[in-house]
PDB file of all heavy atoms in Angstrom:
ATOM      1  N   TYR A 126      15.314   3.027 -21.687  1.00  0.00           N
ATOM      2  CA  TYR A 126      14.078   2.717 -22.452  1.00  0.00           C
ATOM      3  C   TYR A 126      13.824   1.321 -22.608  1.00  0.00           C
ATOM      4  O   TYR A 126      12.833   0.800 -22.330  1.00  0.00           O
ATOM      5  CB  TYR A 126      14.186   3.352 -23.799  1.00  0.00           C
ATOM      6  CG  TYR A 126      12.900   3.076 -24.612  1.00  0.00           C
ATOM      7  CD1 TYR A 126      11.763   4.057 -24.414  1.00  0.00           C
ATOM      8  CD2 TYR A 126      12.854   2.203 -25.678  1.00  0.00           C
ATOM      9  CE1 TYR A 126      10.670   3.772 -25.118  1.00  0.00           C
ATOM     10  CE2 TYR A 126      11.742   2.016 -26.381  1.00  0.00           C
ATOM     11  CZ  TYR A 126      10.622   2.882 -26.067  1.00  0.00           C
ATOM     12  OH  TYR A 126       9.434   2.717 -26.829  1.00  0.00           O
ATOM     13  N   LYS A 127      14.927   0.511 -22.787  1.00  0.00           N
ATOM     14  CA  LYS A 127      14.893  -0.943 -22.657  1.00  0.00           C
ATOM     15  C   LYS A 127      16.005  -1.391 -21.969  1.00  0.00           C
ATOM     16  O   LYS A 127      17.252  -1.177 -22.213  1.00  0.00           O
ATOM     17  CB  LYS A 127      14.984  -1.557 -24.247  1.00  0.00           C
ATOM     18  CG  LYS A 127      13.696  -1.238 -25.020  1.00  0.00           C
ATOM     19  CD  LYS A 127      13.851  -2.045 -26.343  1.00  0.00           C
ATOM     20  CE  LYS A 127      12.598  -1.844 -27.249  1.00  0.00           C
ATOM     21  NZ  LYS A 127      12.659  -2.525 -28.589  1.00  0.00           N
ATOM     22  N   SER A 128      15.721  -1.983 -20.866  1.00  0.00           N
ATOM     23  CA  SER A 128      16.761  -2.469 -19.961  1.00  0.00           C
ATOM     24  C   SER A 128      17.821  -3.369 -20.592  1.00  0.00           C
ATOM     25  O   SER A 128      17.438  -4.356 -21.184  1.00  0.00           O
ATOM     26  CB  SER A 128      16.136  -3.249 -18.784  1.00  0.00           C
ATOM     27  OG  SER A 128      15.239  -2.396 -18.022  1.00  0.00           O
ATOM     28  N   LYS A 129      19.093  -3.011 -20.655  1.00  0.00           N
ATOM     29  CA  LYS A 129      20.150  -3.646 -21.293  1.00  0.00           C
ATOM     30  C   LYS A 129      20.479  -4.902 -20.493  1.00  0.00           C
ATOM     31  O   LYS A 129      20.859  -5.861 -21.095  1.00  0.00           O
ATOM     32  CB  LYS A 129      21.274  -2.692 -21.409  1.00  0.00           C
ATOM     33  CG  LYS A 129      20.981  -1.486 -22.311  1.00  0.00           C
ATOM     34  CD  LYS A 129      22.193  -0.511 -22.361  1.00  0.00           C
ATOM     35  CE  LYS A 129      21.789   0.647 -23.170  1.00  0.00           C
ATOM     36  NZ  LYS A 129      22.885   1.689 -23.212  1.00  0.00           N
ATOM     37  N   SER A 130      20.458  -4.855 -19.210  1.00  0.00           N
ATOM     38  CA  SER A 130      20.896  -6.006 -18.387  1.00  0.00           C
ATOM     39  C   SER A 130      19.780  -6.327 -17.293  1.00  0.00           C
ATOM     40  O   SER A 130      19.712  -5.691 -16.338  1.00  0.00           O
ATOM     41  CB  SER A 130      22.212  -5.753 -17.632  1.00  0.00           C
ATOM     42  OG  SER A 130      22.124  -4.592 -17.005  1.00  0.00           O
ATOM     43  N   LYS A 131      18.862  -7.142 -17.673  1.00  0.00           N
ATOM     44  CA  LYS A 131      17.853  -7.434 -16.678  1.00  0.00           C
ATOM     45  C   LYS A 131      18.135  -8.590 -15.766  1.00  0.00           C
ATOM     46  O   LYS A 131      18.538  -9.634 -16.256  1.00  0.00           O
ATOM     47  CB  LYS A 131      16.564  -7.905 -17.514  1.00  0.00           C
ATOM     48  CG  LYS A 131      15.849  -6.760 -18.188  1.00  0.00           C
ATOM     49  CD  LYS A 131      14.436  -7.296 -18.772  1.00  0.00           C
ATOM     50  CE  LYS A 131      13.687  -6.145 -19.410  1.00  0.00           C
ATOM     51  NZ  LYS A 131      12.380  -6.703 -19.880  1.00  0.00           N
ATOM     52  N   ASN A 132      18.212  -8.218 -14.478  1.00  0.00           N
ATOM     53  CA  ASN A 132      18.529  -9.299 -13.488  1.00  0.00           C
ATOM     54  C   ASN A 132      17.278 -10.165 -13.254  1.00  0.00           C
ATOM     55  O   ASN A 132      17.436 -11.370 -12.982  1.00  0.00           O
ATOM     56  CB  ASN A 132      18.827  -8.670 -12.201  1.00  0.00           C
ATOM     57  CG  ASN A 132      20.200  -7.832 -12.205  1.00  0.00           C
ATOM     58  OD1 ASN A 132      21.111  -8.282 -12.841  1.00  0.00           O
ATOM     59  ND2 ASN A 132      20.142  -6.662 -11.564  1.00  0.00           N
ATOM     60  N   TYR A 133      15.984  -9.550 -13.412  1.00  0.00           N
ATOM     61  CA  TYR A 133      14.857 -10.403 -13.252  1.00  0.00           C
ATOM     62  C   TYR A 133      13.833 -10.301 -14.420  1.00  0.00           C
ATOM     63  O   TYR A 133      13.696  -9.217 -14.956  1.00  0.00           O
ATOM     64  CB  TYR A 133      14.156  -9.892 -11.966  1.00  0.00           C
ATOM     65  CG  TYR A 133      15.075  -9.633 -10.744  1.00  0.00           C
ATOM     66  CD1 TYR A 133      15.286  -8.328 -10.323  1.00  0.00           C
ATOM     67  CD2 TYR A 133      15.812 -10.692 -10.232  1.00  0.00           C
ATOM     68  CE1 TYR A 133      16.028  -8.246  -9.234  1.00  0.00           C
ATOM     69  CE2 TYR A 133      16.583 -10.597  -9.055  1.00  0.00           C
ATOM     70  CZ  TYR A 133      16.720  -9.206  -8.569  1.00  0.00           C
ATOM     71  OH  TYR A 133      17.566  -9.016  -7.454  1.00  0.00           O
ATOM     72  N   LYS A 134      13.395 -11.450 -14.811  1.00  0.00           N
ATOM     73  CA  LYS A 134      12.416 -11.470 -15.946  1.00  0.00           C
ATOM     74  C   LYS A 134      11.007 -10.930 -15.482  1.00  0.00           C
ATOM     75  O   LYS A 134      10.356 -10.213 -16.295  1.00  0.00           O
ATOM     76  CB  LYS A 134      12.297 -12.919 -16.497  1.00  0.00           C
ATOM     77  CG  LYS A 134      13.564 -13.468 -17.074  1.00  0.00           C
ATOM     78  CD  LYS A 134      13.464 -14.837 -17.515  1.00  0.00           C
ATOM     79  CE  LYS A 134      14.756 -15.506 -17.930  1.00  0.00           C
ATOM     80  NZ  LYS A 134      14.575 -16.873 -18.427  1.00  0.00           N
ATOM     81  N   ASN A 135      10.731 -11.245 -14.358  1.00  0.00           N
ATOM     82  CA  ASN A 135       9.389 -10.860 -13.760  1.00  0.00           C
ATOM     83  C   ASN A 135       9.348 -10.994 -12.266  1.00  0.00           C
ATOM     84  O   ASN A 135      10.415 -11.419 -11.624  1.00  0.00           O
ATOM     85  CB  ASN A 135       8.280 -11.738 -14.407  1.00  0.00           C
ATOM     86  CG  ASN A 135       8.446 -13.161 -14.301  1.00  0.00           C
ATOM     87  OD1 ASN A 135       8.869 -13.809 -13.235  1.00  0.00           O
ATOM     88  ND2 ASN A 135       8.419 -13.919 -15.496  1.00  0.00           N
ATOM     89  N   SER A 136       8.290 -10.770 -11.582  1.00  0.00           N
ATOM     90  CA  SER A 136       8.346 -10.788 -10.272  1.00  0.00           C
ATOM     91  C   SER A 136       8.504 -12.072  -9.640  1.00  0.00           C
ATOM     92  O   SER A 136       9.204 -12.226  -8.612  1.00  0.00           O
ATOM     93  CB  SER A 136       6.845 -10.246  -9.676  1.00  0.00           C
ATOM     94  OG  SER A 136       6.582  -8.969 -10.191  1.00  0.00           O
ATOM     95  N   LEU A 137       8.021 -13.121 -10.209  1.00  0.00           N
ATOM     96  CA  LEU A 137       8.198 -14.536  -9.703  1.00  0.00           C
ATOM     97  C   LEU A 137       9.705 -14.858  -9.788  1.00  0.00           C
ATOM     98  O   LEU A 137      10.264 -15.377  -8.938  1.00  0.00           O
ATOM     99  CB  LEU A 137       7.307 -15.579 -10.472  1.00  0.00           C
ATOM    100  CG  LEU A 137       7.523 -16.952  -9.981  1.00  0.00           C
ATOM    101  CD1 LEU A 137       7.164 -17.133  -8.538  1.00  0.00           C
ATOM    102  CD2 LEU A 137       6.485 -17.879 -10.895  1.00  0.00           C
ATOM    103  N   ASP A 138      10.194 -14.533 -10.962  1.00  0.00           N
ATOM    104  CA  ASP A 138      11.783 -14.877 -11.226  1.00  0.00           C
ATOM    105  C   ASP A 138      12.512 -14.089 -10.260  1.00  0.00           C
ATOM    106  O   ASP A 138      13.567 -14.654  -9.730  1.00  0.00           O
ATOM    107  CB  ASP A 138      12.158 -14.430 -12.667  1.00  0.00           C
ATOM    108  CG  ASP A 138      13.648 -14.688 -12.962  1.00  0.00           C
ATOM    109  OD1 ASP A 138      13.982 -15.890 -12.890  1.00  0.00           O
ATOM    110  OD2 ASP A 138      14.301 -13.607 -13.264  1.00  0.00           O
ATOM    111  N   CYS A 139      12.145 -12.997  -9.874  1.00  0.00           N
ATOM    112  CA  CYS A 139      12.821 -12.078  -8.844  1.00  0.00           C
ATOM    113  C   CYS A 139      12.974 -12.800  -7.557  1.00  0.00           C
ATOM    114  O   CYS A 139      13.964 -12.869  -6.885  1.00  0.00           O
ATOM    115  CB  CYS A 139      12.042 -10.796  -8.674  1.00  0.00           C
ATOM    116  SG  CYS A 139      12.791  -9.644  -7.509  1.00  0.00           S
ATOM    117  N   LEU A 140      11.706 -13.315  -7.076  1.00  0.00           N
ATOM    118  CA  LEU A 140      11.721 -13.967  -5.781  1.00  0.00           C
ATOM    119  C   LEU A 140      12.430 -15.250  -5.807  1.00  0.00           C
ATOM    120  O   LEU A 140      13.011 -15.636  -4.840  1.00  0.00           O
ATOM    121  CB  LEU A 140      10.120 -14.228  -5.496  1.00  0.00           C
ATOM    122  CG  LEU A 140       9.404 -13.003  -5.060  1.00  0.00           C
ATOM    123  CD1 LEU A 140       7.799 -13.411  -4.830  1.00  0.00           C
ATOM    124  CD2 LEU A 140       9.910 -12.301  -3.833  1.00  0.00           C
ATOM    125  N   VAL A 141      12.405 -15.899  -6.918  1.00  0.00           N
ATOM    126  CA  VAL A 141      13.122 -17.319  -6.994  1.00  0.00           C
ATOM    127  C   VAL A 141      14.649 -16.924  -6.901  1.00  0.00           C
ATOM    128  O   VAL A 141      15.401 -17.692  -6.183  1.00  0.00           O
ATOM    129  CB  VAL A 141      12.795 -17.947  -8.380  1.00  0.00           C
ATOM    130  CG1 VAL A 141      13.761 -19.163  -8.563  1.00  0.00           C
ATOM    131  CG2 VAL A 141      11.344 -18.457  -8.282  1.00  0.00           C
ATOM    132  N   LYS A 142      15.146 -16.006  -7.531  1.00  0.00           N
ATOM    133  CA  LYS A 142      16.541 -15.686  -7.604  1.00  0.00           C
ATOM    134  C   LYS A 142      17.037 -15.236  -6.130  1.00  0.00           C
ATOM    135  O   LYS A 142      18.187 -15.435  -5.722  1.00  0.00           O
ATOM    136  CB  LYS A 142      16.893 -14.648  -8.601  1.00  0.00           C
ATOM    137  CG  LYS A 142      16.877 -15.262 -10.051  1.00  0.00           C
ATOM    138  CD  LYS A 142      17.166 -14.338 -11.062  1.00  0.00           C
ATOM    139  CE  LYS A 142      17.258 -14.941 -12.518  1.00  0.00           C
ATOM    140  NZ  LYS A 142      17.545 -14.035 -13.558  1.00  0.00           N
TER     141      LYS A 142
END
Side-chain angles (χ1 to χ4, degrees):
Y126 183 74
K127 289 186 178 181
S128 300
K129 299 175 182 177
S130 56
K131 285 188 175 182
N132 294 320
Y133 314 115
K134 297 177 183 178
N135 50 51
S136 298
L137 182 60
D138 180 59
C139 177
L140 290 175
V141 170
K142 287 182 176 178

